[in-house]
């Protein structure tokens, strides 16, 4: 076995990270998948003492790994004095329980790990509701608390089991009741979001959504475009809650931009469904900015994973397939991490892409103005209208700059303003009613 031991002095929960390699989970090398799993573990503040790829020719229904591999990993866990083992795979409840008995430590699978991270990072009420729903959906097949709950005492619920009701039956009923309640609360969130979207359409400002693999630099780019200070760290899933701001594009065109949760390969289906209210922002966007870490050796595989999640979103948002056609602009971020030759090659390739990609560095600001113009060109498909305003119609002029894009302006000898304006038909109707 090829093992990398890591020395840590920080008193955190000691863990080993195991990636089962079955040779059929996509194009990404097993070593890179292991590195990502270790990054997820560190994002949860685990002290990763050892990381290992375990090759499997076939899986064992009871433990996933064969008996020999189970013993080898047990020896690794003892050598690392680990208190937890992270298995980068979706374990069945039986496999998880059996491995915990064999290894005598807490076992966390991929879905459980991501759920724990999301549970820690969610800040808004909506985010916490979504994470709790996903966690309960995950736990009800296991009927055990996930690992961070092991030291907590069960609080009073005001409910008692009926005659002969076992603890496992009571747990099952409590979880089912709580899921029903959460779904009702989230449905109200979705209704409110729908109302907000209708209000935004009345503006009407085009909507732009940032998507990308976790840690691709979405929040840094969001801050660069909007002047905001959303948390941006070199950490997997540093931010979870969707943030929206209004930005000004070239020639004063306003747009609403949303920073969404980062994607990841094999995103747990519980999260895709429970985060539907948030991900609807992506499904309803006029333009999707797909932010890629172009400096990563894994950038192509990550892009494929993002595309897969976008397809999942389409299915979750509208089961009938009546979603808005996707218009995507790839943003090749982190060019500052490339050497001069590689950066020039990437910028040249983006230039030849036919307006489907822009190379930028959100950290330094390089390429941001080119990106702003590319966004404008893609969303600015409103019809052009010729208007003439009298010198006294300053309020109407300001309204046009606020709600549309003035592409040409000239003043004649009588002080009248001759304008060429791009306006959404709905906005043009409002302008005519208000100033006609």
């Amino acid at each position: 076995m090829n093992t990398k031991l890591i020395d840590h002095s920080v008193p955190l929960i000691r863990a080993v990270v195991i990636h089962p390699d079955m040779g059929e989970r996509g194009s990404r090398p097993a070593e890179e998948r292991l590195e990502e799993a270790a990054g997820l573990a560190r994002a949860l503040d685990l002290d990763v003492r050892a990381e290992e790829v375990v090759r499997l020719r076939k899986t064992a229904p009871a433990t996933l790994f064969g008996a020999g591999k189970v013993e080898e990993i047990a020896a690794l866990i003892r050598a690392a004095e680990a208190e937890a083992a992270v298995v980068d795979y979706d374990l069945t409840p039986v496999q998880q329980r059996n491995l915990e008995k064999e290894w005598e430590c807490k076992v966390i699978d991929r879905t459980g790990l991501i759920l724990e991270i999301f549970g820690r990072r969610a800040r808004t009420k909506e985010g916490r509701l979504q994470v709790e729903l996903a966690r309960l959906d995950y736990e009800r097949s296991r009927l055990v608390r996930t690992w961070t709950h092991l030291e907590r005492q069960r609080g009073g619920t005001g409910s008692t089991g009926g005659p002969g009701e076992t603890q496992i039956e009571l747990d099952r009923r409590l979880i089912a009741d709580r899921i029903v309640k959460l779904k009702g609360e989230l449905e109200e969130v979705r209704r409110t979001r729908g109302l907000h979207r209708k209000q935004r359409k009345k503006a009407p400002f085009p909507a732009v959504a940032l998507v990308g693999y976790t840690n691709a630099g979405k929040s840094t780019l969001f801050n660069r475009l909007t002047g905001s200070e959303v948390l941006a760290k070199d950490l997997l899933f540093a931010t979870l809650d969707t943030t929206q701001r209004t930005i000004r594009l070239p020639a004063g065109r306003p747009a609403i931009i949303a920073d969404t949760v980062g994607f990841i390969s094999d995103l747990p289906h519980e999260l895709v469904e429970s985060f539907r209210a948030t991900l609807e922002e992506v499904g309803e966007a006029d333009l999707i900015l797909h932010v890629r870490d172009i400096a990563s050796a894994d950038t192509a595989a990550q892009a494929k994973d993002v595309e897969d999640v976008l397809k999942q979103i389409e299915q979750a948002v509208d089961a009938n397939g009546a979603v808005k056609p996707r218009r995507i602009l790839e943003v090749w971020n982190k060019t500052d991490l490339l050497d001069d030759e590689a950066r020039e090659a990437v910028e040249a390739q983006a230039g030849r892409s036919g307006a489907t990609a822009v190379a930028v560095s959100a950290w330094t600001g390089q390429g941001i103005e080119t990106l702003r113009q590319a966004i404008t060109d893609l969303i600015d498909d409103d019809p052009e209208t010729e208007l003439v305003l009298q010198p006294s119609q300053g309020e109407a002029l300001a309204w046009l700059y606020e709600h549309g894009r003035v592409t040409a302006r000239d003043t004649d000898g009588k002080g009248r303003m001759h304008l060429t304006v791009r306006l959404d038909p709905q906005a043009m109707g409002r302008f005519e009613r208000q100033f006609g």
Side-chain angles (χ1 to χ4, degrees):
M1 294 192 297
N2 185 14
T3 303
K4 177 172 62 175
L5 292 176
I6 302 169
D7 181 25
H8 285 272
S9 57
V10 181
L12 302 172
I13 295 176
R14 299 181 299 276
V16 298
V17 178
I18 307 297
H19 173 73
D21 179 22
M22 287 164 272
E24 55 182 24
R25 298 183 63 195
S27 59
R28 186 172 304 170
E31 287 71 19
E32 292 179 3
R33 284 185 171 271
L34 174 66
E35 183 179 353
E36 178 182 271
L40 289 170
R42 294 188 183 95
L44 201 56
D45 296 327
L46 295 181
D47 177 8
V48 179
R49 292 296 184 92
E51 308 168 21
E52 181 165 339
V53 173
V54 177
R55 316 286 178 183
L56 295 180
R57 286 192 296 270
K58 62 179 181 177
T59 61
T63 55
L64 180 67
F65 307 96
K69 292 294 184 182
V70 170
E71 292 179 6
E72 288 182 42
I73 297 171
L76 174 63
I77 291 171
R78 289 192 296 269
E81 299 181 339
E83 304 161 276
V86 175
V87 179
D88 186 34
Y89 190 81
D90 288 336
L91 298 172
T92 67
V94 170
Q95 290 171 341
Q96 185 175 3
R97 286 194 292 268
N98 289 340
L99 289 175
E100 286 181 345
K101 292 177 183 178
E102 294 288 339
W103 293 343
E104 298 181 337
C105 71
K106 182 61 191 173
V107 173
I108 313 163
D109 72 354
R110 183 179 179 85
T111 296
L113 183 65
I114 295 174
L115 286 172
E116 290 292 343
I117 295 172
F118 275 42
R120 287 194 182 188
R121 302 283 168 76
R123 293 290 178 266
T124 64
K125 177 183 178 181
E126 176 190 345
R128 290 193 294 268
L129 286 173
Q130 291 169 326
V131 171
E132 184 180 357
L133 178 60
R135 186 198 300 278
L136 290 175
D137 192 37
Y138 169 77
E139 286 183 350
R140 64 178 169 181
S141 64
R142 287 162 167 79
L143 291 177
V144 293
R145 297 290 187 262
T146 46
W147 70 283
T148 55
H149 302 102
L150 290 178
E151 303 304 323
R152 302 178 187 173
Q153 295 295 321
R154 181 190 300 273
T157 64
S159 302
T160 57
E165 186 174 29
T166 65
Q167 185 63 54
I168 197 168
E169 289 169 339
L170 176 60
D171 280 354
R172 183 180 290 115
R173 180 162 58 82
L174 292 175
I175 287 176
D177 291 346
R178 181 61 178 160
I179 286 175
V180 170
K181 184 175 185 297
L182 287 172
K183 285 184 175 180
E185 293 183 40
L186 277 172
E187 196 57 43
E188 180 63 22
V189 169
R190 289 163 187 156
R191 189 188 67 81
T192 303
R193 276 189 178 275
L195 293 175
H196 288 170
R197 277 197 295 272
K198 288 181 180 178
Q199 288 298 115
R200 289 202 302 268
K201 287 178 180 177
K202 290 179 181 179
F205 298 159
V208 179
L210 290 174
V211 304
Y213 208 81
T214 182
N215 209 30
K218 291 187 299 80
S219 294
T220 303
L221 179 63
F222 181 85
N223 290 341
R224 176 69 67 174
L225 289 171
T226 64
S228 302
E229 296 183 356
V230 172
L231 175 66
K233 296 177 66 177
D234 185 17
L235 187 70
L236 296 175
F237 295 116
T239 54
L240 287 183
D241 298 306
T242 298
T243 305
Q244 295 181 339
R245 295 287 187 275
T246 300
I247 61 172
R248 289 285 176 181
L249 297 171
R253 177 71 187 270
I256 295 173
I257 188 167
D259 183 19
T260 63
V261 63
F263 297 169
I264 196 168
S265 63
D266 304 320
L267 186 68
H269 69 88
E270 293 93 346
L271 284 175
V272 172
E273 175 57 29
S274 67
F275 270 76
R276 191 178 76 184
T278 299
L279 297 177
E280 281 174 354
E281 297 296 334
V282 177
E284 292 285 338
D286 298 287
L287 176 65
I288 296 173
L289 298 185
H290 176 186
V291 184
R292 291 176 55 180
D293 178 0
I294 204 65
S296 170
D298 214 16
T299 184
Q302 291 177 356
K304 175 62 167 58
D305 289 331
V306 170
E307 180 64 26
D308 290 343
V309 176
L310 286 174
K311 291 178 181 177
Q312 287 180 275
I313 292 172
E314 288 180 347
Q315 295 170 359
V317 170
D318 193 328
N320 297 321
V323 294
K324 180 180 293 187
R326 281 192 276 133
R327 184 185 299 178
I328 298 180
L329 173 64
E330 289 197 355
V331 183
W332 296 351
N333 191 29
K334 301 192 180 182
T335 57
D336 56 294
L337 300 182
L338 300 172
D339 59 40
D340 291 343
E341 183 178 355
R343 182 170 59 254
E344 290 174 3
V346 165
E347 290 172 348
Q349 184 180 355
R352 295 190 301 267
S353 68
T356 62
V358 177
V360 307
S361 167
W363 182 255
T364 67
Q366 182 70 31
I368 294 299
E369 291 310 311
T370 302
L371 173 61
R372 287 181 182 273
Q373 186 59 54
I375 295 172
T376 300
D377 292 343
L378 286 171
I379 64 177
D380 199 9
D381 55 0
D382 296 329
E384 279 193 339
T385 303
E386 304 290 336
L387 296 174
V388 178
L389 299 183
Q390 298 300 322
S392 61
Q393 290 184 286
E395 183 182 353
L397 179 64
W399 193 97
L400 290 172
Y401 273 104
E402 178 71 21
H403 296 86
R405 182 184 176 200
V406 178
T407 58
R409 175 179 173 181
D410 191 23
T411 304
D412 63 22
K414 296 182 179 180
R416 294 176 300 188
M417 292 169 284
H418 296 259
L419 307 172
T420 302
V421 182
R422 285 189 179 274
L423 272 181
D424 178 275
Q426 187 178 8
M428 177 56 71
R430 292 176 58 203
F431 176 81
E432 291 173 345
R433 288 192 298 272
Q434 189 167 346
F435 302 103

